[in-house]
Amino acid sequence: SENDVLGDAGGFAGKISGGHIQDSNANNFSYIIGQITAGGYVGDLEPGNVANVLGDTGILGGLVDVSGTLASLAEDFVPTIRNSSTTCIPCGGAVRADADSTTQVQRGMAGGYAGHNEGGHIWGNNTKKWKGKEYTGPTSTCKAVRIRSVYGKEIAGGFTGLMESADTASTGNLSLLWGLVKVDNILGALSVVYPTEENTAVYGPLALMDYKTWNDWVEFVGKYKGYGSDLAENNIIGKYAYGYNVVAGRVNYWDEIKLANGGAAGGYVGSMQTGTITNGQAYQAKTIKGIRCAGGFAGEMINGGAAKLGGVDILGLNLQLGQMINVLNVFVPVIKQSSVEGYQSGLIVQSEGINAKDACGYAGGYVGKLIGGQIWGENNAHCQ
């Protein structure tokens, strides 16, 4: 139907609402196709619903009084993915989210790792406590390996399609917690519902492949296809390595669809409307296209939802100036120590949208459209 809310697809999970994942990988996918979201690892990542878990919501006040902080309770409902990756077949995999948005349902969000990160956390090389104990298990970058193509009808990113804070009013997730928000705990509460991605990466086809896998693929698949018999030669993986394409498929833009933020594409993230990306790397990006905006790393960075989050009017809490500044900082998208590296013969970033009334046609080597975001290079690690 026109406003159907079904259609999330992912290599590991189509939709994750709360919960925590550790050292869990999805390997050798060829195609992942969804309607609302599609991701090489997860289609949609969002907080869990407090009411569904607790049932009797009357105990919430007591839990907060005991714990002493709203944030510690909220963290249990905000999902994390740690030290987990997704990989494609050697010649590359494709991720597609094919449906148009309507005025009521946002669709068409695709990412090589996550189609839609709504207040979730994706953490590579992570050693934080796990199930209340010190974590001593394997650590690794959270990566999407050998991506060939990411296509989102509205938004597409090499790693993440749309990255935004959890809208607790519209989804119902965590909504009951906000009745407990007070001036003294507002910042702690908000800090757990904006997305973060740390130590992450996306790679193009043939990347990070050992010679045994290469030779097996040549023997059973590659030599029969367009690459020919020269695949049997040694040390030629680099010769055939090729880049990945990211395309936001919207071909027009009008008033009814503005809320969908359609037509945004980025080599790492298509549309970033809050959150923090730290050490996010995009390798072998080849072509980035979006009618509204396109960027080598990010299609757009936009301040999101500073005045209201989940029906809580922050400005109505009579915060002191210092508190207000800290709260507003939560809603400023920040990219730290993150880079995009083009395909060996170059990177094309293209945005050809033309509209007399709307802002279309923004393209940038790093960011296509920037409204209030921050980009930091530090500790000898540059954003480039």
Side-chain angles (χ1 to χ4, degrees), residues 95-112:
V95 179
R96 296 180 62 93
D98 286 336
D100 290 291
S101 293
T102 68
T103 54
Q104 297 183 44
V105 179
Q106 187 165 23
R107 296 195 181 105
M109 298 169 281

mmCIF file with all atom_site columns, all heavy atoms in Angstrom, residues 95-112:
data_model
loop_
_atom_site.group_PDB
_atom_site.id
_atom_site.type_symbol
_atom_site.label_atom_id
_atom_site.label_alt_id
_atom_site.label_comp_id
_atom_site.label_asym_id
_atom_site.label_entity_id
_atom_site.label_seq_id
_atom_site.pdbx_PDB_ins_code
_atom_site.Cartn_x
_atom_site.Cartn_y
_atom_site.Cartn_z
_atom_site.occupancy
_atom_site.B_iso_or_equiv
_atom_site.pdbx_formal_charge
_atom_site.auth_seq_id
_atom_site.auth_comp_id
_atom_site.auth_asym_id
_atom_site.auth_atom_id
_atom_site.pdbx_PDB_model_num
ATOM 1   N N   . VAL A 1 95  ? 23.782 -3.198 -2.843 1.00 0.00 ? 95  VAL A N   1
ATOM 2   C CA  . VAL A 1 95  ? 22.753 -2.918 -1.842 1.00 0.00 ? 95  VAL A CA  1
ATOM 3   C C   . VAL A 1 95  ? 21.778 -1.928 -2.464 1.00 0.00 ? 95  VAL A C   1
ATOM 4   O O   . VAL A 1 95  ? 22.190 -0.889 -2.998 1.00 0.00 ? 95  VAL A O   1
ATOM 5   C CB  . VAL A 1 95  ? 23.366 -2.314 -0.563 1.00 0.00 ? 95  VAL A CB  1
ATOM 6   C CG1 . VAL A 1 95  ? 22.277 -2.004 0.457  1.00 0.00 ? 95  VAL A CG1 1
ATOM 7   C CG2 . VAL A 1 95  ? 24.405 -3.257 0.040  1.00 0.00 ? 95  VAL A CG2 1
ATOM 8   N N   . ARG A 1 96  ? 20.476 -2.245 -2.380 1.00 0.00 ? 96  ARG A N   1
ATOM 9   C CA  . ARG A 1 96  ? 19.459 -1.394 -3.005 1.00 0.00 ? 96  ARG A CA  1
ATOM 10  C C   . ARG A 1 96  ? 18.261 -1.206 -2.086 1.00 0.00 ? 96  ARG A C   1
ATOM 11  O O   . ARG A 1 96  ? 17.759 -2.173 -1.516 1.00 0.00 ? 96  ARG A O   1
ATOM 12  C CB  . ARG A 1 96  ? 18.962 -2.005 -4.320 1.00 0.00 ? 96  ARG A CB  1
ATOM 13  C CG  . ARG A 1 96  ? 19.993 -2.122 -5.410 1.00 0.00 ? 96  ARG A CG  1
ATOM 14  C CD  . ARG A 1 96  ? 19.364 -2.749 -6.662 1.00 0.00 ? 96  ARG A CD  1
ATOM 15  N NE  . ARG A 1 96  ? 18.284 -1.926 -7.189 1.00 0.00 ? 96  ARG A NE  1
ATOM 16  C CZ  . ARG A 1 96  ? 18.425 -1.005 -8.129 1.00 0.00 ? 96  ARG A CZ  1
ATOM 17  N NH1 . ARG A 1 96  ? 19.618 -0.784 -8.663 1.00 0.00 ? 96  ARG A NH1 1
ATOM 18  N NH2 . ARG A 1 96  ? 17.394 -0.307 -8.570 1.00 0.00 ? 96  ARG A NH2 1
ATOM 19  N N   . ALA A 1 97  ? 17.799 0.046  -1.972 1.00 0.00 ? 97  ALA A N   1
ATOM 20  C CA  . ALA A 1 97  ? 16.528 0.362  -1.325 1.00 0.00 ? 97  ALA A CA  1
ATOM 21  C C   . ALA A 1 97  ? 15.685 1.070  -2.380 1.00 0.00 ? 97  ALA A C   1
ATOM 22  O O   . ALA A 1 97  ? 15.962 2.217  -2.735 1.00 0.00 ? 97  ALA A O   1
ATOM 23  C CB  . ALA A 1 97  ? 16.727 1.249  -0.103 1.00 0.00 ? 97  ALA A CB  1
ATOM 24  N N   . ASP A 1 98  ? 14.674 0.398  -2.903 1.00 0.00 ? 98  ASP A N   1
ATOM 25  C CA  . ASP A 1 98  ? 14.069 0.771  -4.177 1.00 0.00 ? 98  ASP A CA  1
ATOM 26  C C   . ASP A 1 98  ? 12.830 1.659  -4.114 1.00 0.00 ? 98  ASP A C   1
ATOM 27  O O   . ASP A 1 98  ? 12.382 2.153  -5.152 1.00 0.00 ? 98  ASP A O   1
ATOM 28  C CB  . ASP A 1 98  ? 13.698 -0.492 -4.954 1.00 0.00 ? 98  ASP A CB  1
ATOM 29  C CG  . ASP A 1 98  ? 14.921 -1.189 -5.545 1.00 0.00 ? 98  ASP A CG  1
ATOM 30  O OD1 . ASP A 1 98  ? 15.931 -0.499 -5.740 1.00 0.00 ? 98  ASP A OD1 1
ATOM 31  O OD2 . ASP A 1 98  ? 14.854 -2.402 -5.805 1.00 0.00 ? 98  ASP A OD2 1
ATOM 32  N N   . ALA A 1 99  ? 12.228 1.865  -2.942 1.00 0.00 ? 99  ALA A N   1
ATOM 33  C CA  . ALA A 1 99  ? 10.921 2.521  -2.906 1.00 0.00 ? 99  ALA A CA  1
ATOM 34  C C   . ALA A 1 99  ? 11.017 4.030  -2.714 1.00 0.00 ? 99  ALA A C   1
ATOM 35  O O   . ALA A 1 99  ? 11.909 4.542  -2.033 1.00 0.00 ? 99  ALA A O   1
ATOM 36  C CB  . ALA A 1 99  ? 10.057 1.914  -1.807 1.00 0.00 ? 99  ALA A CB  1
ATOM 37  N N   . ASP A 1 100 ? 10.051 4.738  -3.295 1.00 0.00 ? 100 ASP A N   1
ATOM 38  C CA  . ASP A 1 100 ? 9.903  6.182  -3.080 1.00 0.00 ? 100 ASP A CA  1
ATOM 39  C C   . ASP A 1 100 ? 9.314  6.459  -1.705 1.00 0.00 ? 100 ASP A C   1
ATOM 40  O O   . ASP A 1 100 ? 8.527  5.668  -1.177 1.00 0.00 ? 100 ASP A O   1
ATOM 41  C CB  . ASP A 1 100 ? 8.943  6.771  -4.115 1.00 0.00 ? 100 ASP A CB  1
ATOM 42  C CG  . ASP A 1 100 ? 9.534  6.793  -5.511 1.00 0.00 ? 100 ASP A CG  1
ATOM 43  O OD1 . ASP A 1 100 ? 10.472 7.575  -5.722 1.00 0.00 ? 100 ASP A OD1 1
ATOM 44  O OD2 . ASP A 1 100 ? 9.059  6.033  -6.374 1.00 0.00 ? 100 ASP A OD2 1
ATOM 45  N N   . SER A 1 101 ? 9.659  7.604  -1.135 1.00 0.00 ? 101 SER A N   1
ATOM 46  C CA  . SER A 1 101 ? 9.006  8.074  0.084  1.00 0.00 ? 101 SER A CA  1
ATOM 47  C C   . SER A 1 101 ? 7.624  8.627  -0.252 1.00 0.00 ? 101 SER A C   1
ATOM 48  O O   . SER A 1 101 ? 7.359  9.033  -1.383 1.00 0.00 ? 101 SER A O   1
ATOM 49  C CB  . SER A 1 101 ? 9.825  9.170  0.757  1.00 0.00 ? 101 SER A CB  1
ATOM 50  O OG  . SER A 1 101 ? 11.043 8.676  1.244  1.00 0.00 ? 101 SER A OG  1
ATOM 51  N N   . THR A 1 102 ? 6.768  8.635  0.774  1.00 0.00 ? 102 THR A N   1
ATOM 52  C CA  . THR A 1 102 ? 5.498  9.343  0.670  1.00 0.00 ? 102 THR A CA  1
ATOM 53  C C   . THR A 1 102 ? 5.523  10.475 1.687  1.00 0.00 ? 102 THR A C   1
ATOM 54  O O   . THR A 1 102 ? 6.508  10.667 2.400  1.00 0.00 ? 102 THR A O   1
ATOM 55  C CB  . THR A 1 102 ? 4.312  8.408  0.957  1.00 0.00 ? 102 THR A CB  1
ATOM 56  O OG1 . THR A 1 102 ? 4.335  8.040  2.353  1.00 0.00 ? 102 THR A OG1 1
ATOM 57  C CG2 . THR A 1 102 ? 4.392  7.139  0.120  1.00 0.00 ? 102 THR A CG2 1
ATOM 58  N N   . THR A 1 103 ? 4.440  11.202 1.798  1.00 0.00 ? 103 THR A N   1
ATOM 59  C CA  . THR A 1 103 ? 4.386  12.279 2.791  1.00 0.00 ? 103 THR A CA  1
ATOM 60  C C   . THR A 1 103 ? 4.318  11.717 4.206  1.00 0.00 ? 103 THR A C   1
ATOM 61  O O   . THR A 1 103 ? 4.538  12.439 5.172  1.00 0.00 ? 103 THR A O   1
ATOM 62  C CB  . THR A 1 103 ? 3.169  13.176 2.546  1.00 0.00 ? 103 THR A CB  1
ATOM 63  O OG1 . THR A 1 103 ? 1.988  12.367 2.515  1.00 0.00 ? 103 THR A OG1 1
ATOM 64  C CG2 . THR A 1 103 ? 3.314  13.926 1.225  1.00 0.00 ? 103 THR A CG2 1
ATOM 65  N N   . GLN A 1 104 ? 4.042  10.429 4.371  1.00 0.00 ? 104 GLN A N   1
ATOM 66  C CA  . GLN A 1 104 ? 3.918  9.827  5.696  1.00 0.00 ? 104 GLN A CA  1
ATOM 67  C C   . GLN A 1 104 ? 5.015  8.825  6.017  1.00 0.00 ? 104 GLN A C   1
ATOM 68  O O   . GLN A 1 104 ? 5.293  8.578  7.188  1.00 0.00 ? 104 GLN A O   1
ATOM 69  C CB  . GLN A 1 104 ? 2.557  9.134  5.832  1.00 0.00 ? 104 GLN A CB  1
ATOM 70  C CG  . GLN A 1 104 ? 1.374  10.084 5.720  1.00 0.00 ? 104 GLN A CG  1
ATOM 71  C CD  . GLN A 1 104 ? 0.046  9.376  5.930  1.00 0.00 ? 104 GLN A CD  1
ATOM 72  O OE1 . GLN A 1 104 ? -0.089 8.562  6.834  1.00 0.00 ? 104 GLN A OE1 1
ATOM 73  N NE2 . GLN A 1 104 ? -0.924 9.679  5.082  1.00 0.00 ? 104 GLN A NE2 1
ATOM 74  N N   . VAL A 1 105 ? 5.610  8.213  5.020  1.00 0.00 ? 105 VAL A N   1
ATOM 75  C CA  . VAL A 1 105 ? 6.605  7.172  5.256  1.00 0.00 ? 105 VAL A CA  1
ATOM 76  C C   . VAL A 1 105 ? 7.876  7.491  4.478  1.00 0.00 ? 105 VAL A C   1
ATOM 77  O O   . VAL A 1 105 ? 7.832  7.712  3.270  1.00 0.00 ? 105 VAL A O   1
ATOM 78  C CB  . VAL A 1 105 ? 6.078  5.784  4.834  1.00 0.00 ? 105 VAL A CB  1
ATOM 79  C CG1 . VAL A 1 105 ? 7.161  4.722  5.074  1.00 0.00 ? 105 VAL A CG1 1
ATOM 80  C CG2 . VAL A 1 105 ? 4.812  5.432  5.594  1.00 0.00 ? 105 VAL A CG2 1
ATOM 81  N N   . GLN A 1 106 ? 9.002  7.523  5.204  1.00 0.00 ? 106 GLN A N   1
ATOM 82  C CA  . GLN A 1 106 ? 10.283 7.737  4.542  1.00 0.00 ? 106 GLN A CA  1
ATOM 83  C C   . GLN A 1 106 ? 10.830 6.393  4.094  1.00 0.00 ? 106 GLN A C   1
ATOM 84  O O   . GLN A 1 106 ? 10.925 5.444  4.872  1.00 0.00 ? 106 GLN A O   1
ATOM 85  C CB  . GLN A 1 106 ? 11.274 8.424  5.482  1.00 0.00 ? 106 GLN A CB  1
ATOM 86  C CG  . GLN A 1 106 ? 12.557 8.831  4.794  1.00 0.00 ? 106 GLN A CG  1
ATOM 87  C CD  . GLN A 1 106 ? 13.362 9.805  5.598  1.00 0.00 ? 106 GLN A CD  1
ATOM 88  O OE1 . GLN A 1 106 ? 13.223 9.888  6.810  1.00 0.00 ? 106 GLN A OE1 1
ATOM 89  N NE2 . GLN A 1 106 ? 14.214 10.570 4.942  1.00 0.00 ? 106 GLN A NE2 1
ATOM 90  N N   . ARG A 1 107 ? 11.210 6.309  2.845  1.00 0.00 ? 107 ARG A N   1
ATOM 91  C CA  . ARG A 1 107 ? 11.706 5.061  2.262  1.00 0.00 ? 107 ARG A CA  1
ATOM 92  C C   . ARG A 1 107 ? 12.986 5.333  1.467  1.00 0.00 ? 107 ARG A C   1
ATOM 93  O O   . ARG A 1 107 ? 13.482 6.441  1.413  1.00 0.00 ? 107 ARG A O   1
ATOM 94  C CB  . ARG A 1 107 ? 10.648 4.464  1.323  1.00 0.00 ? 107 ARG A CB  1
ATOM 95  C CG  . ARG A 1 107 ? 9.347  4.043  1.954  1.00 0.00 ? 107 ARG A CG  1
ATOM 96  C CD  . ARG A 1 107 ? 8.584  3.159  0.968  1.00 0.00 ? 107 ARG A CD  1
ATOM 97  N NE  . ARG A 1 107 ? 7.291  2.710  1.472  1.00 0.00 ? 107 ARG A NE  1
ATOM 98  C CZ  . ARG A 1 107 ? 6.121  3.202  1.069  1.00 0.00 ? 107 ARG A CZ  1
ATOM 99  N NH1 . ARG A 1 107 ? 6.098  4.177  0.183  1.00 0.00 ? 107 ARG A NH1 1
ATOM 100 N NH2 . ARG A 1 107 ? 4.991  2.727  1.550  1.00 0.00 ? 107 ARG A NH2 1
ATOM 101 N N   . GLY A 1 108 ? 13.482 4.258  0.861  1.00 0.00 ? 108 GLY A N   1
ATOM 102 C CA  . GLY A 1 108 ? 14.579 4.401  -0.087 1.00 0.00 ? 108 GLY A CA  1
ATOM 103 C C   . GLY A 1 108 ? 15.900 4.809  0.510  1.00 0.00 ? 108 GLY A C   1
ATOM 104 O O   . GLY A 1 108 ? 16.653 5.572  -0.100 1.00 0.00 ? 108 GLY A O   1
ATOM 105 N N   . MET A 1 109 ? 16.266 4.267  1.706  1.00 0.00 ? 109 MET A N   1
ATOM 106 C CA  . MET A 1 109 ? 17.522 4.609  2.373  1.00 0.00 ? 109 MET A CA  1
ATOM 107 C C   . MET A 1 109 ? 18.464 3.408  2.315  1.00 0.00 ? 109 MET A C   1
ATOM 108 O O   . MET A 1 109 ? 18.151 2.337  2.832  1.00 0.00 ? 109 MET A O   1
ATOM 109 C CB  . MET A 1 109 ? 17.257 4.991  3.828  1.00 0.00 ? 109 MET A CB  1
ATOM 110 C CG  . MET A 1 109 ? 16.368 6.208  3.988  1.00 0.00 ? 109 MET A CG  1
ATOM 111 S SD  . MET A 1 109 ? 15.795 6.456  5.702  1.00 0.00 ? 109 MET A SD  1
ATOM 112 C CE  . MET A 1 109 ? 14.454 5.239  5.777  1.00 0.00 ? 109 MET A CE  1
ATOM 113 N N   . ALA A 1 110 ? 19.631 3.573  1.691  1.00 0.00 ? 110 ALA A N   1
ATOM 114 C CA  . ALA A 1 110 ? 20.559 2.458  1.491  1.00 0.00 ? 110 ALA A CA  1
ATOM 115 C C   . ALA A 1 110 ? 21.961 2.825  1.928  1.00 0.00 ? 110 ALA A C   1
ATOM 116 O O   . ALA A 1 110 ? 22.410 3.956  1.738  1.00 0.00 ? 110 ALA A O   1
ATOM 117 C CB  . ALA A 1 110 ? 20.559 2.037  0.015  1.00 0.00 ? 110 ALA A CB  1
ATOM 118 N N   . GLY A 1 111 ? 22.660 1.847  2.515  1.00 0.00 ? 111 GLY A N   1
ATOM 119 C CA  . GLY A 1 111 ? 24.053 2.031  2.918  1.00 0.00 ? 111 GLY A CA  1
ATOM 120 C C   . GLY A 1 111 ? 24.814 0.733  2.812  1.00 0.00 ? 111 GLY A C   1
ATOM 121 O O   . GLY A 1 111 ? 24.250 -0.345 3.016  1.00 0.00 ? 111 GLY A O   1
ATOM 122 N N   . GLY A 1 112 ? 26.099 0.819  2.525  1.00 0.00 ? 112 GLY A N   1
ATOM 123 C CA  . GLY A 1 112 ? 26.905 -0.396 2.428  1.00 0.00 ? 112 GLY A CA  1
ATOM 124 C C   . GLY A 1 112 ? 26.931 -1.182 3.712  1.00 0.00 ? 112 GLY A C   1
ATOM 125 O O   . GLY A 1 112 ? 27.066 -2.410 3.698  1.00 0.00 ? 112 GLY A O   1
#
